[in-house]
Amino acid sequence: MVLKNYMLFLVALFLIFLFNPATAQGIDIQPPSQPLSGPGGLDYNHSQIITYSYGQGAQQYWIFEPNSPKPDSAPLIVFNHGWDATNPLIYQAWINHLVKKGNIVIFPRYQNNIFDSSDNFTQNAIYSLKDALKQLQSGDHVRPQIDNLAIVGHSAGGLISINMAAQASSAGIPLPKAVFCVEPGKSRSSEDQMGPVMENLSNISSNTLLLTLAGDRDDIVGNSDSKKIISDTPQIPDENKDYIIMVSDDYGSQPLNADHLAPLAVWNSNNFTVLVNALDYYGTWKLFDGLYEGAFYGNNREYALGNTSQQRFMGLWSDGRPVKELIVQDKV
């Protein structure tokens, strides 16, 4: 389903490019490129990635470890994919970014196919995390810093991420210090729906740094779960959580479309990327970098929280015009 939507999106993107006013007038106004440094930036600590795969079916998972140079230990990030987006290549450019910054990334498959019941998704992801921790404690792996855990997820993976945080104590997994729910949804509100049930979020630690993000053109899951996650975590102080709206901008020759596919970051071994642009560099990537760095090290949280200029800033078009800023709220 995701790949089908992805192909339709490419066709739509091509048509938008053809009929964009800037294109028609022969004006080549480019979106911002990746910043050289800072959250979302190119200042990587490692140049290579080592990949492992374990398990089968819905309990398969991948581990991505930083290398060149290889650290003795590294913080741990769980990356939960969207519905049926079970191949990490769909998010690989973002995963690579996180690993080269110096993190171990675990990518649970949690879902064998689109017919799997979502009732098992969170438990499958928890199983993968537990098993990955065992694997990482042996052999030639980079050792995980289990006190530095962050969780990020897109779409259904956004719900799984917040559910993992809610079940952390009872499930015997490390408490995540940061959780980023990117366009989460749709949680099940009746028996005829397919999405995961949202857990009791009052069980999440009050010390967690939390972000939810909705795209202004996301017509697949909308913003209801992004808001609900914020409203259902009153134990987390307002200064430690934000609800964010990512805003589309059609100004340049390559429009920035904040729809449900915007967080995808397709990559292959030839360094060919699709759907990677300023919405990633200054949006999802920057926000999550600032969030986990703030949680782990006390650095750069102004890029993720507080409705600051650094948090809202989305870069400049090639003619110097600012890209439309993020909209940030701590109350919904």
Side-chain angles (χ1 to χ4, degrees):
M1 180 183 298
V2 169
L3 290 179
K4 179 180 178 182
N5 288 339
Y6 156 64
M7 294 303 297
L8 291 173
F9 177 78
L10 288 183
V11 173
L13 188 65
F14 177 71
L15 293 175
I16 290 171
F17 176 79
L18 282 181
F19 295 104
N20 185 271
T23 304
Q25 297 172 23
I27 303 172
D28 186 20
I29 300 174
Q30 295 297 310
S33 56
Q34 188 173 5
L36 296 179
S37 61
L42 281 165
D43 51 338
Y44 295 127
N45 299 314
H46 308 272
S47 61
Q48 293 184 348
I49 297 169
I50 299 176
T51 304
Y52 302 88
S53 177
Y54 298 95
Q56 295 180 343
Q59 292 187 335
Q60 183 182 15
Y61 62 90
W62 287 260
I63 298 176
F64 302 91
E65 299 178 20
N67 197 34
S68 295
K70 179 180 178 179
D72 293 330
S73 67
L76 192 62
I77 290 172
V78 176
F79 195 114
N80 291 310
H81 61 79
W83 189 280
D84 201 34
T86 56
N87 191 325
L89 289 177
I90 297 174
Y91 299 94
Q92 194 69 59
W94 190 359
I95 293 170
N96 291 352
H97 171 80
L98 292 169
V99 179
K100 288 182 177 180
K101 284 283 189 179
N103 304 288
I104 300 167
V105 173
I106 298 171
F107 186 95
R109 179 167 181 167
Y110 79 72
Q111 174 188 27
N112 193 38
N113 55 57
I114 60 173
F115 303 107
D116 282 0
S117 169
S118 62
D119 292 343
N120 301 318
F121 287 178
T122 299
Q123 294 309 314
N124 288 339
I126 289 172
Y127 167 85
S128 294
L129 172 56
K130 286 183 172 181
D131 199 69
L133 287 171
K134 293 178 183 177
Q135 295 289 348
L136 289 166
Q137 296 288 1
S138 62
D140 195 38
H141 290 289
V142 176
R143 296 296 185 256
Q145 298 172 7
I146 58 175
D147 291 334
N148 284 333
L149 170 67
I151 307 177
V152 59
H154 171 229
S155 192
L159 296 178
I160 292 168
S161 297
I162 202 67
N163 282 349
M164 291 179 73
Q167 292 190 26
S169 292
S170 61
I173 59 175
L175 295 179
K177 288 185 174 180
V179 181
F180 185 19
C181 303
V182 182
E183 299 179 332
K186 293 182 175 179
S187 60
R188 190 189 314 169
S189 57
S190 63
E191 292 184 357
D192 61 344
Q193 293 179 328
M194 298 176 63
V197 174
M198 194 179 296
E199 298 289 331
N200 180 358
L201 304 189
S202 67
N203 293 324
I204 296 174
S205 168
S206 60
N207 295 321
T208 308
L209 300 188
L210 174 64
L211 287 180
T212 68
L213 180 142
D216 70 344
R217 291 180 181 169
D218 186 349
D219 57 1
I220 295 180
V221 304
N223 61 11
S224 58
D225 280 336
S226 292
K227 291 182 175 181
K228 180 175 174 58
I229 289 167
I230 296 297
S231 64
D232 285 6
T233 50
Q235 75 276 19
I236 299 177
D238 290 346
E239 61 267 25
N240 288 343
K241 65 181 180 182
D242 280 327
Y243 162 64
I244 299 174
I245 302 171
M246 191 158 63
V247 182
S248 302
D249 194 337
D250 298 330
Y251 174 67
S253 303
Q254 300 176 33
L256 300 172
N257 193 31
D259 65 1
H260 195 63
L261 301 183
L264 304 188
V266 182
W267 176 91
N268 67 17
S269 58
N270 295 319
N271 289 322
F272 176 73
T273 58
V274 178
L275 301 179
V276 180
N277 56 33
L279 298 182
D280 302 288
Y281 306 140
Y282 291 91
T284 51
W285 297 13
K286 178 193 74 178
L287 291 168
F288 189 49
D289 284 357
L291 193 71
Y292 75 73
E293 289 176 11
F296 296 165
Y297 316 117
N299 299 329
N300 291 323
R301 65 173 280 153
E302 67 272 17
Y303 288 86
L305 292 162
N307 198 14
T308 65
S309 58
Q310 296 97 321
Q311 183 188 23
R312 298 189 306 269
F313 181 65
M314 289 294 292
L316 304 174
W317 293 97
S318 58
D319 66 350
R321 175 170 170 162
V323 175
K324 291 181 180 179
E325 289 191 337
L326 300 171
I327 299 171
V328 181
Q329 302 173 3
D330 56 21
K331 295 184 183 296
V332 294

